[in-house]
Amino acid sequence: VPIHFARQHGLLGVESERKSVVLIACADLQSRSVIDNLALTLGLETRPMVVDRDALQAAINAAYAAQDV
């Protein structure tokens, strides 16, 4: 998921034990339509998990900062 998409929609893909499922961290379930569209784009099942908004922003920043290294 591109960083601008992650930040704009407040979503972060999280590794799942099953290869066909992506856990999507989000601050609220208002993002369900975006998550459903993401599932279609990825061709994978998505499962939302609600997390603290501040923790999510910190995780998004950390995840994409690690890619810049």
Side-chain angles (χ1 to χ4, degrees), residues 16-47:
S16 173
E17 292 178 7
R18 293 178 37 208
K19 299 283 184 196
S20 62
V21 177
V22 176
L23 298 176
I24 304 294
C26 57
D28 60 58
L29 293 178
Q30 300 282 334
S31 305
R32 188 63 206 194
S33 64
V34 174
I35 294 170
D36 291 343
N37 288 332
L38 186 57
L40 291 173
T41 300
L42 297 174
L44 299 169
E45 180 183 347
T46 55
R47 294 207 180 141

Side-chain angles (χ1 to χ4, degrees), residues 1-17:
V1 176
I3 189 168
H4 68 277
F5 184 89
R7 286 197 171 129
Q8 178 182 358
H9 297 289
L11 303 173
L12 182 64
V14 180
E15 188 174 358
S16 173
E17 292 178 7

